[in-house]
Amino acid sequence: MKQVVTFGEVMMRLSPPLNYRLPQTATLEVTYGGGDANVAAALAQMGVPAAHVGVFPANELGYAAANHLRRYGVDMSRCLFTEGHRLGLYFLEVGASLRPSRIVYDRADSAFANLDPAAFNWDELLKDAGWLHWTGITPAISAAAAQATADAIAAARRLGITVSADVNYRRNLWQYGQKAQDVMPDLVAGCDIVVCTEGDADDLFGIKAEENSDNGFISMSQQLTQRFPQIKRVIATRRQTQSASHERICGLLWDQGEFFETPFYDISPVVDRIGGGDSFISGFIYGDAHYESREQALSFATIASALKHTIHGDINLVAPAEVEHLMQGNLTGRLLR
Amino acid sequence: MKQVVTFGEVMMRLSPPLNYRLPQTATLEVTYGGGDANVAAALAQMGVPAAHVGVFPANELGYAAANHLRRYGVDMSRCLFTEGHRLGLYFLEVGASLRPSRIVYDRADSAFANLDPAAFNWDELLKDAGWLHWTGITPAISAAAAQATADAIAAARRLGITVSADVNYRRNLWQYGQKAQDVMPDLVAGCDIVVCTEGDADDLFGIKAEENSDNGFISMSQQLTQRFPQIKRVIATRRQTQSASHERICGLLWDQGEFFETPFYDISPVVDRIGGGDSFISGFIYGDAHYESREQALSFATIASALKHTIHGDINLVAPAEVEHLMQGNLTGRLLR
Amino acid sequence: MKQVVTFGEVMMRLSPPLNYRLPQTATLEVTYGGGDANVAAALAQMGVPAAHVGVFPANELGYAAANHLRRYGVDMSRCLFTEGHRLGLYFLEVGASLRPSRIVYDRADSAFANLDPAAFNWDELLKDAGWLHWTGITPAISAAAAQATADAIAAARRLGITVSADVNYRRNLWQYGQKAQDVMPDLVAGCDIVVCTEGDADDLFGIKAEENSDNGFISMSQQLTQRFPQIKRVIATRRQTQSASHERICGLLWDQGEFFETPFYDISPVVDRIGGGDSFISGFIYGDAHYESREQALSFATIASALKHTIHGDINLVAPAEVEHLMQGNLTGRLLR
Amino acid sequence: MKQVVTFGEVMMRLSPPLNYRLPQTATLEVTYGGGDANVAAALAQMGVPAAHVGVFPANELGYAAANHLRRYGVDMSRCLFTEGHRLGLYFLEVGASLRPSRIVYDRADSAFANLDPAAFNWDELLKDAGWLHWTGITPAISAAAAQATADAIAAARRLGITVSADVNYRRNLWQYGQKAQDVMPDLVAGCDIVVCTEGDADDLFGIKAEENSDNGFISMSQQLTQRFPQIKRVIATRRQTQSASHERICGLLWDQGEFFETPFYDISPVVDRIGGGDSFISGFIYGDAHYESREQALSFATIASALKHTIHGDINLVAPAEVEHLMQGNLTGRLLR
Amino acid sequence: MKQVVTFGEVMMRLSPPLNYRLPQTATLEVTYGGGDANVAAALAQMGVPAAHVGVFPANELGYAAANHLRRYGVDMSRCLFTEGHRLGLYFLEVGASLRPSRIVYDRADSAFANLDPAAFNWDELLKDAGWLHWTGITPAISAAAAQATADAIAAARRLGITVSADVNYRRNLWQYGQKAQDVMPDLVAGCDIVVCTEGDADDLFGIKAEENSDNGFISMSQQLTQRFPQIKRVIATRRQTQSASHERICGLLWDQGEFFETPFYDISPVVDRIGGGDSFISGFIYGDAHYESREQALSFATIASALKHTIHGDINLVAPAEVEHLMQGNLTGRLLR
Amino acid sequence: MKQVVTFGEVMMRLSPPLNYRLPQTATLEVTYGGGDANVAAALAQMGVPAAHVGVFPANELGYAAANHLRRYGVDMSRCLFTEGHRLGLYFLEVGASLRPSRIVYDRADSAFANLDPAAFNWDELLKDAGWLHWTGITPAISAAAAQATADAIAAARRLGITVSADVNYRRNLWQYGQKAQDVMPDLVAGCDIVVCTEGDADDLFGIKAEENSDNGFISMSQQLTQRFPQIKRVIATRRQTQSASHERICGLLWDQGEFFETPFYDISPVVDRIGGGDSFISGFIYGDAHYESREQALSFATIASALKHTIHGDINLVAPAEVEHLMQGNLTGRLLR
C-alpha cells in the first residue's frame, strides 16, 4: 500500500489518572495526539506506510510530541520545528457513568497555528503518497492553517492522490475571523471521501436531513455528493451513547448510490473515547486497501473504532489480526492465551 | 447566601488503589472526610460560604486533615487543635461487582471524641451563619460530642438559624454508654429539616412504616413531624443497589404535607460511593437557596448525589453548572469540549 | 482439616496497569501465580493448612516468587531452588469490553520444566497431607514434570490421600513430544475428583457430550466416571461470557449419580479473571470440608470463584465469612462498615 | 502579627517524576506556585495571616491553582477569576549532579498578564495588612501588571504598611516593550526592605560592587540605600552551588549600616530548589516579627531557605519549630521520634 | 542453626513517597515492622530459622502485618490474633540533607499493648529455639508487655537458650506508670548479650562513661557486665551522622574483656535508616553462628547494618553473600552483572 | 553526517522503582536497550542519522522494544521480526551507596541469539552508511551472532566505512562453546577505532599494561595498534568509582601516537549508570564529526557519558547544546530558565 499522509496539529494531552478531577489531582498522565496524526499513527502501527506533516515548537515539548508519533512508526521527517511559539495542550477529565468527560483546551497561539503556508512544498511532501487525509479541525485553527490545507488538497489533486477528510465541525474552534461555512466548502470540494454526519452536513453546508436515521444519512450523502461531485463516498459512525462509560456505535457507508451499515457494537466500559472517530477513518483506509468487499472495509473500520474505545490514549493501538478476530464473530472478549 | 456551618469529626481515609485489598497493597491513597465536613466542602466549592467546626490533633495529621477541607474553600478558622489525642482513621477497601466495599474503622479515642463541650462558644461560632448542619454520627462518638451537638442546636434555635440533620444511624458507633434511642430524639427535636429513611426512623424513634415505598416514606414523614413539630421537611434517597459497581438512586421530599420524588438515576460504574448521602443534603441546601421550586431543589440534590458516585474521595467536587446540565436532561455523559 | 498439597509451576506475571497495552506501558505490575499454587494460597489464607511443592531458580526472581506464596501462608519449605534455569514468566494485557485480555507466555526452559523427578520423595512430601491437588498444566510442561505428577499421584494413592485435578487442557502448552491424550488418562485415573468441562473431556478423552447443557455435563460425567472408576465427583463452572468486562458463571457438580447446580452469578465489571478456575476448586475443597451439604460446598466454590473475578492477582484473597455473606443472599455488594 | 499581602502570578508547574526528562515521561507531577504567592503560603502555614492578590482564569485550572494556595491557609478571597485567558504554566525537568534543572516556560498571554489595573482597589485590599510583598517578576509580565504593582506600592505607602520586594531580575521575562531598568527603580523606591544581590543591583540599577564578597554586598547596600532612601534593609542569600544536587547557602543582611551574615549551610542532596529565594524572604518576614535580634531573624530566614531545598514543590512547608530546632545547632538531620 | 525467636509489637508504617511531607501527600507507602520482628525477618530471609511471637488485631490490618513477616520467611504460627484492639501505626516523613526524618506515632491501645501475659506458654513457644531476642521497646509499651518479656526471659534461662536484648531506651514510650529505670535492670539481668550505647547505659542504669570514645565503651561494658554478670558480650554501633542523607557507622564489641571495632562505613545517600539497629543485631546473631572469629562476626553485623540503610522498609533484605562481598573489601558499589 | 549503523541485541529491562529490591517490589519499570542500539539512539536524538540492525520476536514484546528505539529517531526498518523465540530480558536492581546495582540476566535463547546470518545482506544494509558500530557483547551471544558480526565488518571494509567497536568483555556471556579470545581478534582486526581498557586488552588479547595509569593506557594502545594495524584510535573512560551513587570518570584517547585525556568529572548522585559506556562512544562519534580538535571530541564524549549517568534508562537523552554548555565550564548544575 502506498503512503498515507496526514496534516494537522498535534497537542499534548494532560489528564488526571482514573476519574480524578483537575482540582484534586497531583499527577497528570501525558500523551499526545491530533485528529489527523492519530490516523497516521493507527495506520503506521498496522504496517501501513504513513507520514505526518505538522509544525512543532523547537523545544522539549515539541520534540516529545513528535517522538510519540515516531514511536508508533509515523514518518515525522517532514515536520517543521519552529522557534517562538508553543505546543498546544488540552486537559481531559475522564468522566464516568452520567458524568461526562470534559476537555479544557489551551491551544491558542501554537506553533502550528502560526505556520507559514509557504514553508510547505506539497508536491514534494506528497511525492510518495497515495492518500492524503485531513480533518475539519485544521482549517479551523488559523487562516494560515486553512491556506496550507487548501494547498495540500490542490497538490493532491494535481498528483492524482486520493483525498479524505473528516469534516468534524467544532464550533468553538473557529475564532480567527472566518466562518467554517465559508472555508470548508472549497476544501471539501477536493475530496474523494468524507466522514460526515447529518449534523455536520447541516451545520457546514446547510444540507437538511433527518438525524439518526438511515434515510437521513442516505439523503444527506446524496445531497453532499451532488453538491461536491468529486466526493464518491460518505462514511460515518452513528452513536447511541448510553453514558460516559457505555457507548454503542455502528458504521455507515454511502458509496456511489449504495448504502451499507454494520450492526451496533456495544462498548462497556469505555476506557478512552478520544480518537474514536480517527480510528474509524484509519480503519476504513486500511480496510479499503485490504478487503475486496465494501462491507468488510466498513466492518473493519467500525470494529477498529469500537476497539479504540478500550485503548488508553488518542491512538488506536490494535493490530489488524485483532480486528479480524472480532470480525469473525468473537465479540465476547474471551481471554486469548 | 448566608454561611452554612457544620460540626463533626474529620477522619483520614486510607484506601488501597483500584480494587486491591489491604493485605496485598503496598500503597494507600489518602484523603480526608467526615459526614458533616463533606457537606461544608461540597457547598464551599460550589461558592456557598461554609465553615466547619471540628477538633483535630495538633500534629501533622491533624493539620493535613484541616488543610484538605481548607483547600476546597471551607473556613476552618473555628476548628480546635488539641494535644494528646489522635486523628481518627478509616481504611476502605473498594469492592466491585458482587464484592462489597468494606470499611475498617480505627477512630477510637480521637481528638474529636475527647473534645471539651465548654470549648465551643456557639453563639459566637454561629454568629454569621444562616444554617447549621450535623449528622447522627457526631452524637454517637462520645458523650462530650453529643453534648456539644446539643449546645450547637440550642444556640442555632436561639439565633433563628435553620438546622438540618442527617440522622444516619450507625449501630456499631454508639459505644460510650448511651443509646442512640435516648440521645437522638432531643437533638432531632431542634431540627427544621432531616434526612431520614424509614429504616432509620424505625431504629431511632420506633416509627413504623413500609420500607422502600412512597406510602411508607410519607407515613414515616407524617409521624416524624407530628412527634417533632419543629421539623418541616423530611428528605431521603432511595437506593436500588444492583452491585458494588452499579447503583440506582432517587430523591424523596416530604414538605409540610406535600410529597415529591425524582426519577431513578442509574450510576454504572460507581467510582466512589462514600459521601453519597452528604452530597444529597449539601445539594439540597444549595438547591433550596437557589431554585424557586421544590422539585428543582430535590432534583439538584439527587443529581448532585448521583454525580458524587462518580467522583473520587468523600467530597462532591461538582459545580452547580454541571448539575444543572444534567437537570436539563443531558444524562448520557456525552463528551464536553 | 488436614494439609492440602499442590504441585506445579509458579510464574512471574507482568501486566501493564489498567488497560494499557504492552507497547505503550512504562511500568508493569508484578505478581506471581500458577494454577496449582493458587489453590494452596487461597486455602492457606482461608486458614486451611496448605503446602506447595515447586521448583524455582535460585535467584532473586525465584525467591520473590516463593515469597509471594509464603506471604499468604503457604508452606513453601518443600520447594526446591535450583541453579541454571529461569523463572517462567507471562505477560498479561488486561482487555475491556469487546477487547479480550491476552497472554504472552515466556515460560520455556524454566527451572520447573527442568526438574528432576527423582528429587521428590513423595511419601515424605505428602506425609501430613489429606489432599493432593494438581492441574493439567503441570504434565504439559515437560516429560519430567509429567513423571513427577505421576509419582505424586501414585504416592497419594498409596497413602490414602484424596486426589483432585483440574484437567485444564491447554493445547499450546504440550510441546515436549508427548500428547495430552496419551499422558492425561493415566494421571486422571488416579483422581477422586476432577474439574472437567465437556470441551476438555472431548479434547482429552474423546468423550462426546453436548456443550453448555446440564444433560451434556451429566452425560460427560457418567462417561468419565465409567472410564475412570476412581473418580467419584466431577465439577465445573459454566461461563456465559458477555465481554472481557462482564462474566456470568454457575457451578456444576456430579457426585456419584447426583447432579447439582447453582444459579448464575453476574460479575460486572470483572477486575481480574486469572485464577477463576483455581478459586473454584479451592473453594470446593474448603466447602467440602466445612459444610454438610453438597449444595453448600458447590455454592461456596462458585461464589468464591465469582468473588475472585473482583480481586487483583492470581490468588483468591477472600475470607470464608465473605463468601458466606454472599451465600446468605447478600449479592448486591452493599457497603460493609 | 498583622496580615502579609502578596501580589503576583501563580502558575501550574508540571514536572516529570524523579529525574526523568520531558521526552521520556508518561506522567507529570502537578503543583502550583509563584514567587509572591509562595511567600504568602509559607507564612500562612507558619500561622501568619497571609492573603494573596492574583488573577486566574475562571476554569478548572484556575480554580485548582487557587485551591492549592488556599490549602496551606492563604486567604484567596481577594483574587479575581476572569474569562478568556489562560493559566500560565511551566515545565520543570529536575536535574541531578552536573546536569542542571531546566524550565520551559509556557506563560504567555495568561489571565494575570491581561489583568486590568483598575480592577484592584488597593486601599481596600490592603486595609488589614501590615506588610506588602512583591517580586521583580510581576512588573516583568506586562505593562498592566507593572501598573498594578505601582498602584499597590503607592497604596501601601499611603497606609503606612511595610513594603518588601525581591528584585529578582529575569532578563528573558521583560518582553512587553519596557525595560526593567526603566520600570524597576520607581517601584523599588517605595520599598522598606529589598532582596537584592550584587548582580541584580548592577543589572537593574547600574550599581557596581564586587560579587560574592562581603565588602561587595556592603558597598552595594550602601549605594542602593543612598539612591533609594526609603530602603532601610537589604538582604540576600549567597550561593556556592556545587552541583544540581548540592547547594551551599548563607544569608546576608545590611541593616542601616550594620552587616550580618550567617555561616554557610550545606544542602546535599537538594530535593527541590524552586522557591529557595521565596522561602528566604518569607523566613525573614517571620523572623523579623518573632525574634528580638536581627541575627536570629537572618538565621531563621537562611535556615528556612535551606530547609526549603529539601521540600517538594514551590512552597516551604516547614514549621517554625523545625527551623528553630536547626537554629539550636541540630544540623545533622538526626531522626526525630 | 537453631531457631531464633523474637517477641514484640509489629506496627504498620505509613510514609509519603520520596521526601514528601504528610500535609502534601495523596498517597502513603505501607510497610510493617517492629524492632524485634525485624530481627526475625532479616534472619529468616538469610536462611536462619526464625519465629516471631506477637499479638495482632484479628482484622485485615493485623493479617496484613503478619503476612508481611511471613513473606520473608518468619514463622508466624505462634502469634495471637485478638478482638477489640487495634494495630499500632506510625507515620514516617523521610527527611533529606539537614531536614531530619520524623515519626508520628499512633500506637496507643494496640492489641499488643493489651496482651494477656498468661496467654503465652513460653516453655512451649521456645521449645525449638536456640536464641531469644527482645528490645527495650517491648517492656515500654505496657505492664502486660513487660511481664510477658520477663516471663520469656525466665523461660529462656530455664531452657538454656541464649538471650539477647537491644536495650534501646525511648523516653517517650514509657507511659504506663513504671519507669524504665525500675523495669529494665531485672530484664537485662537475664541476658547473655546486649546492644547498649554509653548513653543508654547512663539513662537506664546510671552507668557513667565517656560517650563516643573507645575507652568509654570499654568502661561502660565493664561496669555493665560487673553489675549484670550473666552478660558476656556488649555490642553497639557508633554513629557519625552527617545529615539525614549521610551516615557513618562503625561496630563495637566488648567480649569478656576483649574489645573489637570495625572501620567506619560511609552511607551516602541513606535510603532508609529505620531498622538500622535491628539489622546490626540480626547480623551479629548470623555472624556469631557462621564465622570463627569475633572480628568477622562484628564486621558482618556492621556491614549488614550499613547495607540496611540502602534498603527500603524496616527489614534488612540482604543475602549473606552480599554482606560477604563487602567484607572482602568491595566497598565501591561496583555494578554486579 | 552520514548514517551510523549499529548491530546487536535489544533487551527489555525491568527494574524496581527507586532502590527497591526484586523480592519486595510490586511494580517494575520497563525500558529497552542494548549496548549497540543505545549508540544509535543517542546519536539519532542528537540529530545524526542512525539505523539499527537487530532481530526481535514477532510479538508485542518485540514490537514494544523496536518502538522504543524508533521513538528516539532510530531507523528500525532494517530489523527482522521472527517467530518462535523470545525477547531477551534483564532485571536490574538499582543499588545505592555501598550497595552495588545488580543485574539478573534472562536472555537465553532469544530471537537475536537464534538469528540466521544469511538473512543479512550487509552490502545492502550498509549502503547509505558512513560508520558501523558494534560491541563485544554481540559475538558473545551465539555463533550465529558472531558470524553476522564478522559479515558486517567485512562488508564495511569493502564499502570503505569506518568501523568502531566497544570490545566490552563480559566473561559470563560467552557460553556457546567458543572463547572470546579466539573470536574477538579477527573481529577487532577490522576496526578503525576501539573502546578498550587495559583490563579488556589483557583479558581478550593478552596485552599487558599497568592498569589505571596513563602510561599503561598508552602502552596498551601501542601494542594493540601494532597487533591490529587497521586500528588508528583507542579510547576509553577511566572510572574512579566511589560508591554506587558516586562516580568519577575521565576520558582517554590514543590517536596514532598522540595521547589526550580530560579532567575527571564527578557524578553524585548517579541516577542510572547503565549505558555509560555506550554514551561515551556515541559522544565520540558525534564529536569526531562536529569538532575540529580531538580534545573537543574527547571532551564531548566524556561529558556526554557523565551526563548519561544522570538520565534514567539505557539511552543518553542529551542534546548537543547541553553537552556544550558543560564543555564551556558550566559544571555546577545551575538552574536553566
Side-chain angles (χ1 to χ4, degrees), chain C residues 47-82:
Chain C
V48 175
H52 181 68
V53 180
V55 184
F56 298 85
N59 65 19
E60 280 81 354
L61 303 181
Y63 302 143
N67 278 0
H68 188 73
L69 293 161
R70 193 178 281 125
R71 174 179 186 175
Y72 296 110
V74 180
D75 179 346
M76 299 296 284
S77 63
R78 300 167 211 181
C79 292
L80 303 179
F81 293 82
T82 61

Side-chain angles (χ1 to χ4, degrees), chain C residues 222-240:
Chain C
Q222 287 169 333
Q223 296 177 61
L224 194 66
T225 53
Q226 276 171 352
R227 177 145 162 217
F228 303 109
Q230 180 69 35
I231 300 177
K232 297 295 175 295
R233 293 182 285 182
V234 182
I235 62 173
T237 50
R238 183 171 295 149
R239 294 180 169 273
Q240 294 177 343

